[in-house]
Amino acid sequence: MVTMHGKRTNGSRPPSPRMGRSGGGKGWWAPRPKSGVERLLYAVLATLLRRRGFLLLAPLLYVSAMPVFLGRWNLDSVPVRVRVAVLHRRPPPGAVYRSPRVFERLWPFMQADVNHSIALMTAWHQKASQRWKPCVNKRLSHAELPPSNGFLIIEANGGLNQQRLSIGDAVAVAGLLNATLVIPIFHLNSVWRDSSKFGEIFDEEYFIETLKNDVRVVKQLPEDILKRFDYNISKIINMRTKALSSKTYYLQKVLPKLRELGAVRIAPFSNRLAHSVPSNIQGLRCLTNYEALRFSQPIRLLAENMVDRMVKNSSMSGGKYVSVHLRFEADMVAFSCCTYDGGKEEKHEMDVARERSWRGKFRRHGRKINPEANRMNGRCPLTPLEVGMMLRGMGFDNNTSVYVASGQIYNAEKFMAPLHQLFPHLETKDTLASTDELAPFKMFL
């Protein structure tokens, strides 16, 4: 029985929270701690336990605070010596790279599968009613070109595909402005570090000849224009055109300057023309991409030899094979900000690659790298293993000949091994071409 003052009728007192080993027994409290940290923790808890109001609020505060702090704390770093239960946050489905474990489980079934499909023989089966049709006629205009309004100089930036698109846009803009296009300049990209000129990749003479009825193209500025700008191309005004600029913008902003100065620059020129343009302008894009642009003769010759060898090596499938362009170079992995299974070493390598190629872009204030969210949103480049598993899932068996077209694969020894395991008949430019054949391109590979 307890009185209103909290004292027992028999005169005994409730156990004190400060009871340790003294007082005739251990009681409910743990032995006094010995280390400094433990003594401090003990003192704090003892103080709080004296206040009964806190004991009533503690569970509510605990439940309210846990959802807030669990997402911020790195619980994996909590020392083991802290003798409390630690909750390890389980990553959401699809947030972690697990393909090697999936492959390990599926591999025995792949080996045991004898019901191989004939995917390679039917993948490109063409119906009799289907025919390839050109998007434009080679000759778009039938009248003579009017006098030129001036010279257009563009600087194509990005990788090879971006440069190709930029060239198509440049021809379209030159046609729109009735300008003479100077053979495009390729920007030396900090990522690819390829110093190739237009003529080293594409056939210049063929490019000029194919477009001559629709757009004037010259290899370089004439002497009188160069002299006007003191033989310094950087003195020619740069229009700094916004991305996806419309036909109206070019006619109202760029054309007057072109007529006034005789020459204008647009640099950079990646995606500087709107997708939606009149049909005659779109026709110039198509003419450029599908007719005027072809690789230079050395590249064409090597490519033809490699294709012939690939066909011969694919005799088991009637000369048919699968060509795959892997996008798993170090710069792609670094730019994606995704993580795989390389741990601290991979993180360090990717941090170095990002800083080397993009100089602080990923360290800007407020920029947060979230690899788990990137993976869940489908923004991570497929590894060679994942590409191989996808091909096997489509029905291509291990007798399929596969040609891998790509740059230098990140950590190739590790990531290419499972693709070789899935497709033993795998070829690359290094296996199809000799050292002497590749020598002229060594600085670009």
Side-chain angles (χ1 to χ4, degrees):
M1 178 178 178
V2 181
T3 66
M4 292 296 291
H5 300 287
K7 294 183 178 180
R8 295 182 182 271
T9 55
N10 60 3
S12 64
R13 302 176 70 86
S16 169
R18 288 177 287 182
M19 285 180 62
R21 295 185 180 181
S22 60
K26 294 184 178 180
W28 63 275
W29 192 249
R32 288 184 179 276
K34 295 181 179 181
S35 70
V37 176
E38 291 176 344
R39 283 199 298 271
L40 178 61
L41 181 61
Y42 173 88
V44 173
L45 290 175
T47 302
L48 293 175
L49 288 172
R50 292 194 195 101
R51 301 181 180 275
R52 296 182 180 180
F54 176 82
L55 293 177
L56 295 175
L57 290 174
L60 180 61
L61 292 172
Y62 177 82
V63 172
S64 301
M66 286 301 288
V68 177
F69 290 104
L70 274 178
R72 298 183 181 179
W73 290 350
N74 181 10
L75 297 178
D76 291 334
S77 64
V78 176
V80 177
R81 66 181 296 179
V82 178
R83 297 172 185 174
V84 294
V86 176
L87 298 176
H88 290 273
R89 184 179 68 85
R90 178 174 294 180
V96 178
Y97 175 63
R98 304 183 188 276
S99 297
R101 277 171 278 179
V102 175
F103 174 58
E104 188 177 352
R105 291 198 301 269
L106 293 179
W107 179 239
F109 299 99
M110 294 181 185
Q111 290 179 300
D113 181 20
V114 294
N115 297 316
H116 299 309
S117 72
I118 52 173
L120 194 64
M121 306 301 293
T122 59
W124 299 108
H125 179 68
Q126 187 177 2
K127 295 180 181 179
S129 60
Q130 292 179 335
R131 294 288 184 271
W132 294 106
K133 297 179 181 179
C135 59
V136 293
N137 294 321
K138 289 188 178 182
R139 179 73 184 268
L140 295 177
S141 61
H142 300 281
E144 285 190 17
L145 294 175
S148 174
N149 288 321
F151 292 89
L152 175 65
I153 303 115
I154 68 104
E155 187 174 300
N157 56 308
L160 181 61
N161 193 51
Q162 290 169 297
Q163 290 172 340
R164 178 182 59 82
L165 294 174
S166 295
I167 295 167
D169 285 352
V171 172
V173 170
L176 173 65
L177 303 178
N178 188 34
T180 300
L181 177 67
V182 180
I183 285 289
I185 301 167
F186 287 169
H187 172 68
L188 180 59
N189 190 278
S190 61
V191 176
W192 293 275
R193 294 179 287 279
D194 186 349
S195 58
S196 301
K197 303 295 189 292
F198 185 98
E200 293 174 309
I201 298 177
F202 300 109
D203 188 330
E204 272 187 343
E205 300 296 341
Y206 184 81
F207 181 76
I208 295 171
E209 179 66 22
T210 305
L211 295 172
K212 69 179 183 179
N213 294 320
D214 301 281
V215 175
R216 294 182 180 88
V217 183
V218 295
K219 293 184 179 181
Q220 58 187 12
L221 288 169
E223 179 72 16
D224 60 322
I225 298 294
L226 285 171
K227 185 177 180 179
R228 188 184 306 174
F229 294 98
D230 296 329
Y231 298 92
N232 187 349
I233 195 173
S234 64
K235 290 187 176 182
I236 299 175
I237 187 173
N238 186 1
M239 297 300 295
R240 293 287 182 185
T241 307
K242 293 182 179 180
L244 303 177
S245 292
S246 66
K247 168 188 172 182
T248 302
Y249 173 85
Y250 280 100
L251 292 176
Q252 293 182 353
K253 299 294 184 180
V254 180
L255 183 57
K257 284 292 182 184
L258 182 69
R259 286 172 170 165
E260 176 189 349
L261 303 173
V264 296
R265 286 190 303 135
I266 305 179
F269 194 75
S270 178
N271 298 313
R272 289 305 187 269
L273 179 63
H275 297 308
S276 179
V277 292
S279 58
N280 62 320
I281 304 302
Q282 182 63 23
L284 288 173
R285 274 174 165 164
C286 291
L287 179 63
T288 303
N289 277 288
Y290 298 105
E291 296 291 343
L293 278 179
R294 75 177 184 184
F295 287 118
S296 60
Q297 185 176 7
I299 294 177
R300 292 202 315 274
L301 181 61
L302 178 60
E304 289 169 1
N305 289 336
M306 290 173 62
V307 169
D308 289 343
R309 292 163 194 171
M310 196 70 212
V311 170
K312 291 178 182 177
N313 293 345
S314 308
S315 57
M316 294 179 63
S317 54
K320 296 183 178 181
Y321 62 92
V322 175
S323 181
V324 179
H325 186 193
L326 296 178
R327 296 308 309 273
F328 202 69
E329 301 95 340
D331 66 277
M332 285 293 295
V333 179
F335 189 81
S336 71
C337 296
C338 295
T339 55
Y340 293 85
D341 53 3
K344 293 181 179 179
E345 183 179 355
E346 177 189 299
K347 181 181 183 305
H348 173 70
E349 291 174 347
M350 294 298 99
D351 286 343
V352 171
R354 280 189 283 268
E355 188 60 28
R356 179 183 64 241
S357 298
W358 293 283
R359 295 189 182 90
K361 176 177 181 177
F362 294 90
R363 295 186 290 104
R364 291 174 185 168
H365 179 70
R367 177 107 188 212
K368 183 179 179 182
I369 294 178
N370 192 336
E372 290 185 354
N374 291 346
R375 185 165 294 281
M376 292 174 66
N377 292 331
R379 295 177 179 175
C380 296
L382 293 177
T383 63
L385 167 61
E386 290 170 328
V387 173
M389 292 176 67
M390 181 178 66
L391 290 174
R392 290 296 291 264
M394 292 170 65
F396 297 103
D397 62 28
N398 62 354
N399 289 320
T400 303
S401 294
V402 176
Y403 174 72
V404 173
S406 66
Q408 187 173 355
I409 299 298
Y410 169 63
N411 204 348
E413 186 175 349
K414 170 186 175 181
F415 285 105
M416 286 297 291
L419 184 59
H420 276 282
Q421 187 176 342
L422 283 163
F423 295 101
H425 304 290
L426 186 147
E427 303 278 3
T428 66
K429 59 180 178 291
D430 299 297
T431 63
L432 288 174
S434 67
T435 303
D436 291 341
E437 287 175 314
L438 293 175
F441 309 97
K442 189 176 181 59
M443 61 182 297
F444 307 113
L445 298 176

